[in-house]
């Protein structure tokens, strides 16, 4: 199991963007980069630098996804028909931990992974503790009985800064259905994601 050992908001500072849209992000107060030279004028970024930045931002948004997992997801997307960038977003949004996050069963992407790891999530009535599992259209994701009373879950469901997207259909407060694979425009990213640059990065 991969684990993010660094402070989660360091990615926000490095990118200069509040990539998860959280109210306690340090970028809300300091929009410049970290370190003593963080406020100096930024030099022009090369094409490779822009592609790398786009990849790091997208990969970082999905939490504890390793480079190996992310590259593997890209390879799967490139083998599918249609636009590779759109396919990549669709595959990432089909991850079980992301459906849990989108359903507001967890306040953060990292908490969603933890809830799945601890066996609090059921897929079509069967317990699943694999955060990277790909959900199919029509699958139902529900909370276990203990999870319904967890403070973390209750907090997530009351968060005002994000809504449940249309491709995740709620059934009460403890169950959702995955209705369709979303396109880039449908995914509620707090910041602009550029999967086309990620495709360029990996296809060099």
């Amino acid at each position: 199991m991969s684990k993010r050992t660094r402070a989660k908001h360091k990615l926000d500072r490095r990118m200069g963007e509040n990539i998860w849209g959280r109210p306690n992000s340090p970028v809300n107060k300091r929009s410049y980069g970290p370190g003593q030279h963080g406020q100096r004028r930024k030099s022009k970024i090369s094409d490779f630098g822009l592609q790398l930045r786009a990849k790091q931002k997208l990969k970082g948004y999905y939490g504890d996804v390793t480079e190996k997992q992310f590259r593997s997801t890209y390879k799967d997307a490139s083998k599918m028909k249609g636009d590779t960038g759109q396919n990549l977003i669709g595959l990432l949004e089909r991850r079980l931990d992301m459906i849990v996050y989108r359903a507001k069963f967890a306040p953060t992407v990292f908490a969603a992974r933890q809830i799945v790891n601890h066996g609090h999530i059921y897929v079509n009535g069967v317990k699943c503790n694999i955060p990277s599992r790909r959900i199919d259209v029509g699958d139902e994701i529900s909370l276990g009985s203990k999870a319904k009373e967890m403070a973390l879950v209750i907090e997530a469901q009351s968060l005002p800064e994000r809504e449940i997207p249309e491709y995740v259909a709620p059934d009460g407060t403890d169950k959702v259905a995955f209705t369709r694979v979303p396109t880039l425009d449908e995914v509620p990213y707090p910041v602009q994601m550029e999967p086309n640059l990620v495709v360029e990065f990996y296809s060099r």
Side-chain angles (χ1 to χ4, degrees):
M1 182 185 75
S2 64
K3 183 178 180 181
R4 191 176 190 88
T5 54
R6 295 171 296 171
K8 299 175 180 64
H9 287 308
K10 278 188 177 181
L11 185 62
D12 280 5
R13 290 294 306 282
R14 191 164 72 247
M15 295 296 167
E17 296 179 89
N18 184 358
I19 68 170
W20 292 290
R22 296 288 284 165
N24 60 344
S25 171
V27 175
N28 295 339
K29 296 180 180 179
R30 301 185 299 277
S31 59
Y32 48 87
Q36 69 182 67
H37 301 298
Q39 298 185 61
R40 70 183 179 183
R41 181 177 296 176
K42 295 180 180 178
S43 58
K44 184 178 179 181
I45 303 176
S46 65
D47 289 343
F48 173 79
L50 290 172
Q51 295 164 4
L52 177 62
R53 179 187 174 89
K55 190 267 290 187
Q56 295 291 69
K57 184 165 66 170
L58 186 63
K59 182 168 78 75
Y61 176 84
Y62 286 91
D64 293 314
V65 179
T66 65
E67 177 62 28
K68 183 179 179 180
Q69 289 174 327
F70 195 74
R71 182 183 290 271
S72 176
T73 303
Y74 164 76
K75 288 181 179 178
D76 290 343
S78 65
K79 295 174 184 176
M80 298 167 62
K81 292 182 179 179
D83 182 85
T84 301
Q86 294 280 5
N87 293 339
L88 176 62
I89 296 299
L91 290 176
L92 290 169
E93 286 294 310
R94 284 175 56 191
R95 289 174 57 96
L96 177 57
D97 53 359
M98 282 311 299
I99 303 296
V100 169
Y101 176 64
R102 297 294 182 214
K104 296 183 74 171
F105 291 163
T108 67
V109 178
F110 306 95
R113 182 183 181 90
Q114 184 182 49
I115 288 173
V116 176
N117 274 328
H118 290 181
H120 293 300
I121 299 298
Y122 289 74
V123 178
N124 298 326
V126 180
K127 183 187 294 186
C128 180
N129 61 358
I130 304 173
S132 61
R133 172 175 171 173
R134 284 181 188 164
I135 299 302
D136 294 321
V137 173
D139 283 353
E140 289 188 340
I141 296 87
S142 56
L143 288 167
S145 55
K146 290 183 179 179
K148 297 175 188 177
E149 301 174 1
M150 291 172 60
L152 200 68
V153 175
I154 296 172
E155 175 200 349
Q157 293 176 335
S158 64
L159 286 175
E161 66 259 24
R162 59 188 177 93
E163 300 292 334
I164 299 176
E166 291 185 0
Y167 52 91
V168 178
D171 182 6
T173 59
D174 61 353
K175 183 187 295 184
V176 298
F178 184 59
T179 59
R180 68 176 184 276
V181 179
T183 61
L184 174 61
D185 294 339
E186 293 179 296
V187 180
Y189 293 120
V191 297
Q192 182 182 5
M193 294 296 180
E194 300 168 296
N196 59 309
L197 293 181
V198 179
V199 173
E200 291 175 11
F201 175 84
Y202 282 121
S203 58
R204 284 174 295 117

